[in-house]
Amino acid sequence: MQALILLALQAYIIRSLGKEHYSIWPVLRSCINIAGLIQIGLGAGASRFIAVAIGHRDGRKIERLVGTYLLATFIGAAAFLIASSVVALNLQHLFNVPEAFVVEARWAMVVMGLSGAVQMVAGVFAGILTATQSFVKLNILRSTLLLVRTSVVLASFAVFGPDLVWVAMSHLVVSCVEAIGCILLSRQVLPWLKVTFGGATWATFREVNSFSLLTLVTAIAARLYWDTDNVLINRALNPTLVAGYAIVTLILLRCSMLSSLASNAVSAPLAVLYGQGQLNRIAQAIYRANRIVVPIGAFFIIFVMLFGEEFID
């Protein structure tokens, strides 16, 4: 359902802005996504270690992990803001941006930088929800936020007219609400948890990121695969081609995210099962997850093959 809503929203934005105007947006988003590697490099293994600590009922280690991850994330968010600001200032030199849209694109980039920084902080508490297997709560929150984002875009376009800054503002609003929601939900599932920087240690940071190295390398490969193509089209080909290409990649990315969703859904319980030595149940969980993911992914691919062109014409 989320994929279909996103597809309809993207089609509406493209038709409202026009292909030339919209073609700037995927390039900005690609820059933000690539900059998001900062968070992955700072502790993608945190959720896994929190899940294992929950399995061992080690409350002190959970507090130490969360405090370390949160401190590192704040530092990463500051670096993220600096990186996005530098790109915004040099936008016209880096990409093919029509003169009429340069100022608008710069402001959109700054707002997206703020959104990304807030989302990084929200990711810490979303990691707690993942580790505690609170997937229903997390999915309800994110589905609701998608409707909020859609409402913000529709309302702002109707009142102020189509503008990339309002698209970016919808992301910022959603990031802020998601951060608040994840904090409140994490307090419900772990009411005894005290989040402080006092328990943060360099040893814990190294422990988390020793696991994160493989995740980081995989994430870099994925981001380079999915996000550099928009930049290459903008620089080497007709920039307006990005509009149609964005629809295709949205569908394919959603298919890949189904695999990621399945991985996130089973990662925390698998970590607990691993800690308990139940390897046979791990194999069963992976097999059952694949039986669900593959048919759903095939549906989206067939859908875009049949109807993809209708969304931008």
Side-chain angles (χ1 to χ4, degrees), residues 122 125-126 129 138 141 177-187:
F125 298 94
L129 296 175
L138 192 57
L141 173 63
V177 176
E178 181 179 6
I180 295 171
C182 286
I183 291 171
L184 294 177
L185 289 175
S186 64
R187 294 292 296 172

Side-chain angles (χ1 to χ4, degrees), residues 147-220:
L147 295 176
V148 170
R149 182 191 161 200
T150 303
S151 301
V152 170
V153 171
L154 294 176
S156 60
F157 276 27
V159 176
F160 303 103
D163 194 300
L164 290 175
V165 176
W166 291 114
V167 180
M169 282 296 296
S170 71
H171 282 267
L172 179 58
V173 169
V174 166
S175 296
C176 291
V177 176
E178 181 179 6
I180 295 171
C182 286
I183 291 171
L184 294 177
L185 289 175
S186 64
R187 294 292 296 172
Q188 286 183 3
V189 297
L190 295 178
W192 48 266
L193 180 64
K194 296 179 180 179
V195 181
T196 64
F197 295 144
T201 65
W202 178 248
T204 303
F205 179 76
R206 286 188 301 174
E207 177 186 13
V208 171
N209 284 281
S210 64
F211 173 81
S212 298
L213 181 59
L214 179 59
T215 306
L216 178 61
V217 172
T218 305
I220 289 174

Side-chain angles (χ1 to χ4, degrees), residues 1-270:
M1 181 60 68
Q2 290 185 29
L4 293 177
I5 294 174
L6 277 173
L7 185 61
L9 177 62
Q10 185 136 325
Y12 170 77
I13 293 173
I14 291 175
R15 291 187 176 188
S16 299
L17 292 172
K19 292 182 181 180
E20 182 182 20
H21 196 175
Y22 174 83
S23 64
I24 307 168
W25 176 252
V27 176
L28 301 182
R29 192 179 58 209
S30 293
C31 295
I32 293 296
N33 289 342
I34 292 172
L37 290 171
I38 295 173
Q39 183 186 22
I40 298 173
L42 287 174
S47 295
R48 183 256 188 189
F49 281 96
I50 292 172
V52 172
I54 290 173
H56 293 160
R57 298 182 180 180
D58 190 345
R60 289 186 178 180
K61 186 170 184 178
I62 294 172
E63 291 182 351
R64 189 166 64 251
L65 285 165
V66 173
T68 302
Y69 188 21
L70 186 61
L71 178 60
T73 299
F74 273 117
I75 297 172
F80 186 92
L81 281 173
I82 294 172
S84 60
S85 299
V86 170
V87 173
L89 289 173
N90 296 279
L91 199 63
Q92 199 170 10
H93 302 292
L94 296 172
F95 310 111
N96 290 323
V97 180
E99 188 68 32
F101 304 132
V102 170
V103 175
E104 177 185 336
R106 282 176 176 165
W107 279 109
M109 187 70 187
V110 171
V111 175
M112 283 296 289
L114 288 170
S115 172
V118 173
Q119 201 165 29
M120 288 174 68
V121 177
V124 176
F125 298 94
I128 294 175
L129 296 175
T130 300
T132 55
Q133 305 176 45
S134 303
F135 299 109
V136 174
K137 293 180 179 180
L138 192 57
N139 287 332
I140 290 174
L141 173 63
R142 287 176 172 169
S143 297
T144 303
L145 290 175
L146 181 57
L147 295 176
V148 170
R149 182 191 161 200
T150 303
S151 301
V152 170
V153 171
L154 294 176
S156 60
F157 276 27
V159 176
F160 303 103
D163 194 300
L164 290 175
V165 176
W166 291 114
V167 180
M169 282 296 296
S170 71
H171 282 267
L172 179 58
V173 169
V174 166
S175 296
C176 291
V177 176
E178 181 179 6
I180 295 171
C182 286
I183 291 171
L184 294 177
L185 289 175
S186 64
R187 294 292 296 172
Q188 286 183 3
V189 297
L190 295 178
W192 48 266
L193 180 64
K194 296 179 180 179
V195 181
T196 64
F197 295 144
T201 65
W202 178 248
T204 303
F205 179 76
R206 286 188 301 174
E207 177 186 13
V208 171
N209 284 281
S210 64
F211 173 81
S212 298
L213 181 59
L214 179 59
T215 306
L216 178 61
V217 172
T218 305
I220 289 174
R223 290 289 167 87
L224 290 178
Y225 180 81
W226 287 109
D227 292 310
T228 56
D229 45 7
N230 291 323
V231 176
L232 290 174
I233 292 173
N234 176 272
R235 294 291 300 177
L237 301 174
N238 184 348
T240 59
L241 293 175
V242 175
Y245 186 77
I247 289 290
V248 176
T249 54
L250 173 67
I251 295 296
L252 296 179
L253 185 57
R254 287 294 137 183
C255 291
S256 72
M257 287 182 67
L258 286 172
S259 299
S260 299
L261 179 62
S263 299
N264 290 334
V266 300
S267 60
L270 291 186

